[in-house]
Amino acid sequence: MSNRFNIAVFEGDGIGPEVTGPCCELMNKACRIVSESDPANSISLDMIMLPAGAKAYQSCGEALPKSSVTQAKAADAILLSAMGDPQIRYPDGTELTPQIDLRFELELYAGIRPIRSIPGVNGPLADERAKAIDFVLVRESIEGLFAPQAPSKMLGNEQAEETLVITRRVSEKLFNATFELAKKRNANRITCIDKANVFPAFAFFRKIFYEVAEHHLTSGNTSAETLIDHAYVDIMALNLLTRPWDYDVMVTENMFGDILSDLAAGLIGGMGYAPSADIGDKHAVFQPCHGSAPDIAGKGLANPTAMFLSGAMLLEWLADTHHSVAAARASELITSAVDAAFASGTLKTIELGGQSGLADVYAAVDKQLSSAELSQK
Ligand code: ATP
């Protein structure tokens, strides 16, 4: 079977374009290797570059041009790097966040944020168990404190109000996606993170979590051995630092997920190591957890690993949704090449006080892909 996929690509701002080009090259190379080794199960990607972000806002007055959204919707999957520039803002002083607008536009309710220690990359925890950190944080991504249906309110110069929205419709989809992901990972624990002791909205969130859990347990989709529990977000901030190896799949509200996923990225070396996927019923966007990092843009210092692993997640999602063996193999090739590139410990990126820049990481991962190609000839 020959699989040809259209991939909409938003290279964005800051370090975005720097990490996007090498990522697309590695994805294409992995697909070529897979196709040459098994022409009966080939795969190719057509990358469609689309404008959005601060640069697009400056040139056409729209941070997320309608034509870009239309083309992204028509694609099989969307690859996005990072958008925004603190120097370029809306007239009210807020920053452009087209990547968040895209989540609303495409109803991407489940933000999947895998946190996995890469062998050879030492994060800040000295405990030996930190080498085996491997969990996923699922961040609800279209409501909570970011809900567009409850816009911010300014009452003169005296008061500002934000509203937190939890709906049964989105929460059920979110928890179903969480339990499906847990099944795929063979997870031993699924934890709901909230603040149900203070806010009724979170008590509602937790109630729906246990309803959905009951459904998955009764249907046999989730094993009765799985520990299903909950925790307050404040204690989770502590536990993620002191015993992250105790967790497997966690699910939480939008703002809590935003904050905890940065903390979690820190555990495995920094923002440059944390990939993500934003999944909806019809569309999916894959992007690193980091932003446009204007402080290091244009210097060749960005760590592209999170972007490469987001590309691997995109291919894995295509494999799952299109039953593509070739996409699954291309995804595995990229992940294995990233792991092999760091395994010797010679690469040390700037977040970890090293000197390895974008070109060094790309060259090392590319070399591992070439070795994989040679070994299958
Ligand atoms: P956003 O709000 O869009 O998430 P932000 O301003 O909170 O963005 P980032 O742009 O992710 O945050 O940057 C946070 C810090 O992490 C910065 O010091 C930045 O240089 C660093 N950083 C982010 N991404 C990378 C990367 N890929 N490699 C190295 N350092 C990075």
Side-chain angles (χ1 to χ4, degrees):
M1 189 168 71
S2 165
N3 287 135
R4 190 171 185 140
F5 297 107
N6 288 324
I7 311 297
V9 182
F10 291 100
E11 61 174 13
D13 304 302
I15 62 170
E18 296 173 46
V19 295
T20 305
C23 178
C24 292
E25 286 188 24
L26 291 179
M27 290 171 76
N28 280 326
K29 182 164 175 165
C31 289
R32 183 176 53 72
I33 295 171
V34 167
S35 303
E36 283 172 4
S37 75
D38 182 7
N41 273 307
S42 64
I43 176 169
S44 62
L45 307 175
D46 287 326
M47 308 283 192
I48 308 149
M49 306 304 285
L50 299 173
K55 276 199 304 268
Y57 180 70
Q58 267 189 325
S59 65
C60 71
E62 271 185 297
L64 185 60
K66 285 191 184 59
S67 62
S68 292
V69 174
T70 308
Q71 289 184 77
K73 278 182 176 168
D76 294 302
I78 301 159
L79 186 68
L80 190 153
S81 56
M83 292 180 188
D85 180 338
Q87 305 300 324
I88 302 169
R89 291 171 182 258
Y90 289 120
D92 69 357
T94 59
E95 276 190 48
L96 315 168
T97 51
Q99 69 282 19
I100 297 178
D101 302 338
L102 195 62
R103 289 178 199 151
F104 300 134
E105 182 73 38
L106 305 181
E107 263 234 336
L108 308 175
Y109 50 84
I112 312 293
R113 299 176 166 213
I115 298 293
R116 179 180 68 90
S117 287
I118 296 174
V121 178
N122 296 321
L125 301 186
D127 193 303
E128 271 300 299
R129 287 171 293 183
K131 292 194 164 69
I133 290 175
D134 186 1
F135 62 79
V136 183
L137 188 64
V138 182
R139 168 188 175 183
E140 193 291 307
S141 298
I142 53 170
E143 44 185 43
L145 208 43
F146 287 72
Q149 62 267 46
S152 316
K153 244 198 262 170
M154 295 300 304
L155 303 177
N157 207 25
E158 300 307 314
Q159 194 166 319
E161 293 177 4
E162 308 286 350
T163 306
L164 187 145
V165 177
I166 303 288
T167 67
R168 173 171 286 281
R169 187 182 75 85
V170 169
S171 300
E172 282 181 353
K173 282 175 187 249
L174 173 78
F175 295 135
N176 278 318
T178 303
F179 279 83
E180 289 302 336
L181 172 79
K183 184 181 177 194
K184 190 175 171 207
R185 277 175 65 85
N186 211 6
N188 58 26
R189 184 173 189 176
I190 307 169
T191 308
C192 176
I193 304 171
D194 56 51
K195 191 72 185 167
N197 51 338
V198 178
F199 300 100
F202 281 116
F204 181 54
F205 188 71
R206 186 189 290 182
K207 177 172 171 281
I208 302 168
F209 169 76
Y210 279 110
E211 284 172 15
V212 173
E214 187 56 37
H215 170 74
H216 283 264
L217 284 166
T218 317
S219 68
N221 198 42
T222 299
S223 150
E225 311 283 295
T226 313
L227 171 59
I228 296 172
D229 65 352
H230 57 263
Y232 299 132
V233 64
D234 40 350
I235 193 69
M236 275 310 297
L238 177 75
N239 289 351
L240 280 183
L241 269 183
T242 54
R243 46 190 180 94
W245 36 82
D246 283 352
Y247 295 93
D248 200 331
V249 171
M250 285 164 268
V251 58
T252 193
E253 176 270 341
N254 210 339
M255 181 71 137
F256 290 164
D258 187 29
I259 297 166
L260 289 181
S261 58
D262 274 28
L263 187 161
L267 297 175
I268 53 162
M271 298 306 293
Y273 292 98
S276 83
D278 291 318
I279 311 278
D281 291 340
K282 294 197 199 119
H283 305 282
V285 171
F286 299 83
Q287 68 171 124
C289 287
H290 62 73
S292 55
D295 53 334
I296 55 166
K299 298 179 180 162
L301 297 175
N303 175 6
T305 309
M307 187 76 204
F308 297 166
L309 294 174
S310 300
M313 286 180 80
L314 183 153
L315 287 161
E316 188 186 347
W317 183 78
L318 286 177
D320 290 346
T321 51
H322 294 76
H323 310 290
S324 166
V325 179
R329 289 197 51 226
S331 170
E332 281 158 23
L333 269 184
I334 294 175
T335 306
S336 306
V338 166
D339 284 8
F342 283 98
S344 70
T346 45
L347 277 180
K348 202 168 178 201
T349 57
I350 57 155
E351 302 114 298
L352 297 168
Q355 300 286 324
S356 309
L358 196 154
D360 302 312
V361 178
Y362 170 68
V365 178
D366 183 59
K367 191 171 157 204
Q368 292 299 332
L369 271 187
S370 298
S371 311
E373 181 172 24
L374 278 179
S375 69
Q376 65 180 32
K377 278 192 174 153

